[in-house]
Amino acid sequence: MAIRIPVHDHSPSVAFEDAVQFVLDALADVPEFRGEKGRQIELKGTLALAVLAMTAGHATYREIEAWGKLREPTLIPLLGLVRAPSDSTIRRVVQGVEPEAVRLVLRASARMLVSDRRKLVTAKDGKTMRASRIEDRRSAHVVSVVEHNTGVIMDADYCREGEGELTAARRLQATAAAGKAEIVAGTADALYANSPDAESAVDGDEHYLAKVKKTRPSSSKTSACASRKTTPPSRTRAARAISVTAA
């Protein structure tokens, strides 16, 4: 469903109003972290503004502020705000909320967005966020699981202390299923072309597509490892094959 983002005095479309309300409802469970004297602007509305702006491609605090001010007559009242927040206010709110609480809210929202689907095709990948630091001053290495057909990010989290990208991706994949939906296939780059992931895919009756680099000899054993997996004697159905692309 396309969502039209109104500017200035244009009336919001029904789809846009529904999208704003959806975001507000989803963020209602994020706990307030400020004292009573520090609540000059509403938390949920400010967070919702940041989410909507980022989905429109505006990632910095100043860009979010400018995006909100441009739509102040139509968007701000829908968010329950008296005015568009400044970039410093947006920064305090975004940096002050509990990250895990926001992540759980967004994950639940993602499940809702794909709740009408029965089969999912996911992709796993990780990226190091430039100039970003987490609590222990490590670079923030974020791993995400994306649903191919809808583009919905099912889950995302940074690698925890002592955890590599592969381990983090397996942790996220385990929580990516949405309601009655079933993950039937997964794709990944060469980093994920390894025996544990191949065995897990076959054990879960999934298709698995991964690149295999010729410079990584151990990853070339992935499909062979999976093809050795067979079902119990009582079931004659053959295990699914794994597709491998050489790079």
Side-chain angles (χ1 to χ4, degrees):
M1 178 179 65
I3 299 174
R4 181 168 62 86
I5 308 298
V7 180
H8 299 309
D9 59 346
H10 297 297
S11 299
S13 65
V14 174
F16 177 73
E17 291 182 347
D18 290 343
V20 171
Q21 192 58 51
F22 175 83
V23 174
L24 286 172
D25 292 343
L27 294 171
D29 294 332
V30 176
E32 177 63 75
F33 66 93
R34 303 167 298 178
E36 293 185 3
K37 293 183 179 180
R39 302 182 187 180
Q40 296 181 4
I41 195 162
E42 209 270 338
L43 174 70
K44 184 172 65 173
T46 304
L47 274 179
L49 173 67
V51 169
L52 291 168
M54 285 188 282
T55 58
H58 305 279
T60 70
Y61 299 118
R62 289 188 178 181
E63 287 177 351
I64 295 172
E65 176 193 23
W67 188 86
K69 286 188 179 299
L70 188 62
R71 291 157 178 81
E72 197 165 50
T74 51
L75 175 61
I76 298 307
L78 294 177
L79 296 175
L81 301 173
V82 295
R83 64 182 183 278
S86 65
D87 67 309
S88 58
T89 298
I90 297 169
R91 180 191 299 271
R92 286 196 298 272
V93 167
V94 171
Q95 294 184 353
V97 294
E98 174 56 44
E100 185 64 16
V102 177
R103 174 179 165 244
L104 293 177
V105 165
L106 296 178
R107 188 172 72 187
S109 300
R111 292 182 178 183
M112 188 182 303
L113 289 173
V114 297
S115 60
D116 61 334
R117 307 186 69 85
R118 292 295 175 264
K119 298 183 183 297
L120 304 178
V121 179
T122 62
K124 296 177 288 186
D125 198 11
K127 299 293 182 185
T128 299
M129 308 301 290
R130 293 182 180 179
S132 297
R133 295 289 184 271
I134 50 182
E135 290 85 349
D136 55 5
R137 307 305 298 170
R138 289 181 295 121
S139 296
H141 191 83
V142 178
V143 180
S144 60
V145 178
V146 180
E147 208 284 312
H148 270 288
N149 296 313
T150 60
V152 172
I153 299 176
M154 300 301 301
D155 201 358
D157 195 12
Y158 55 77
C159 296
R160 298 171 181 175
E161 187 175 3
E163 184 180 56
E165 181 180 327
L166 288 175
T167 305
R170 291 165 189 155
R171 170 168 57 83
L172 297 186
Q173 181 80 355
T175 62
K180 297 180 180 179
E182 172 192 8
I183 297 177
V184 296
T187 67
D189 59 23
L191 180 64
Y192 297 86
N194 55 74
S195 297
D197 281 340
E199 292 177 349
S200 176
V202 174
D203 288 341
D205 200 27
E206 296 177 27
H207 290 288
Y208 182 70
L209 176 65
K211 285 186 177 181
V212 174
K213 289 186 176 180
K214 295 178 180 179
T215 56
R216 293 172 60 95
S218 59
S219 63
S220 64
K221 302 177 182 178
T222 302
S223 58
C225 164
S227 64
R228 289 198 302 270
K229 300 289 291 183
T230 57
T231 53
S234 60
R235 300 172 64 188
T236 58
R237 178 178 54 81
R240 294 186 180 189
I242 285 186
S243 299
V244 179
T245 302

